[in-house]
Amino acid sequence: MDFQQIVDSYEMAAAVMSVEKKADGHYGDIRIVSANSMYKKIMGPGYHDNIIYTELIPKEPNFEDFCYRCAVGKQHLHAYVDSKSMGIWTDGTYIPLSTEYDNENICYFIFFFEFTNGPESEKMSDISVDIAPDVIKTCITLRGSENFYESMNTVISDIQKKTHSFSSVIIMIDKEKQKYAPLCSKFRDDVAVIEDYAPYLTPDVVFSWEGTIGKRDQIIVKDEYDMAQLEKQNPVWVKSLRSAKVESLVLVPLSQGKKMMGVLFITNFDVEHIVELKEYIQLTAFFLSSEIASNDMMEKLEYMSNVDFLTGVKNRNSMNARVDWHVSGDKHVHTPFGVVFADLNGLKQCNDNGGHEAGDRLLKNAANLLKKHFVSDEIYRSGGDEFVVIVPNCSKESFDQKVKVLKEESSYGSPVCFAVGSDWSDGDRDLRYCMHVADEAMYADKKEFYRQHPEHARL
């Protein structure tokens, strides 16, 4: 086959490329077999026929995945991507060649492309009909809502549904200030909240992402083979992924210019439709980046890292920091003090019957009830349906009265029903011990509630 004749028939940069097919279903060398004059001019003097592509440009796993799918899987593919390694956008088309030109372990395809200095709306709008409605919906949601956080939660929920993922999360990152915080998240069937995964999102992990992404447009892990490849580059991150039972993931940087503001993180997604999802995710990330940048979210990261946006009370990170400050002596809780653990009864049933929005309303109402009775005290949302209140500088009588009134207003049949546990200390027991006692008392109260009302028990 005269590959040179094929590529010379294209006016734009074009090349016939080959992919080495391995017996284990993965690929080996990816080579540029023949190229036209435009392609050779772009690649420069280092080009020669049958060269391994990484001798000319940086290795790009996502590009390699497309090469494999086109050459071996015989898929006709198109991608308009931000080629960060070259500082330009690449509009590339992949066309498989007939199997009659393949041999036992080498498969061929044609790759042609053109560059743009920045994202062009005309090219970005040339997307698959399968994802166009979803991308348009994202744009309308972001631009049509007056409430930024509400629109972000809607978009992240749409991403979770579209990708059939276990979780879809946006995490804001300020590397210079060494701060990060989740902006919004959605878990399949609301079986978890982002706070549950805080132990896996350590500073060592989060601040390693930018270096791991490097000049790629995104990181995609489809299977154990990809996970093992990622492990070679970032073993600390992969250890946390395995601990969190993550088997597949997409991590896309959310950037303003060359500065990474955060990431869109998707786990355990529908890998069978990765080609369509890749295009959808990248375009969605582009619009998310623009919206986040326009809302000055980096300036608000200090606030974000301490506040639970759904309820307006402090979050688990803030609570952990408060306990650490007390233990280290940097900022003691004034004695005597009391601790309250309050866990919502029936949240799962509320979500099941009324949907996620009903559950969110119940959580907000729960936080408002605590604000009503603990006006000047420290209120934290420590988990999905669990709240903690630290009441500094209080007498036992006044503390017990607050707890009594809270229990009365959150008893069975009330709009907000809490299981409540508490403990008080005049200084003879430390904060962590009191939190442990209050937690145990709350669980005993919850156990008794479900014994009396089994119809509300969690399944």
Side-chain angles (χ1 to χ4, degrees), residues 255-279:
S255 304
Q256 182 180 24
K258 295 183 178 180
K259 181 177 182 181
M260 190 174 84
M261 303 179 293
V263 298
L264 170 60
F265 193 98
I266 300 168
T267 67
N268 295 351
F269 64 97
D270 179 10
V271 297
E272 294 300 318
H273 295 89
I274 182 58
V275 173
E276 306 96 291
L277 294 179
K278 181 180 185 296
E279 187 178 20

Side-chain angles (χ1 to χ4, degrees), residues 134 137-138 141 149-170 184-190 264 266 280 284 288 356-357 360:
D134 298 292
K137 181 181 178 183
T138 295
T141 299
Y149 298 107
E150 182 180 284
S151 65
M152 283 291 160
N153 278 302
T154 298
V155 170
I156 207 68
S157 294
D158 289 342
I159 292 172
Q160 186 275 320
K161 292 176 184 176
K162 175 68 177 178
T163 58
H164 300 285
S165 58
F166 173 71
S167 68
S168 297
V169 182
I170 293 177
C184 52
S185 61
K186 180 66 170 69
F187 288 77
R188 183 189 298 145
D189 299 327
D190 300 313
L264 170 60
I266 300 168
Y280 163 71
T284 300
L288 285 170
H356 185 62
E357 292 182 358
D360 285 352

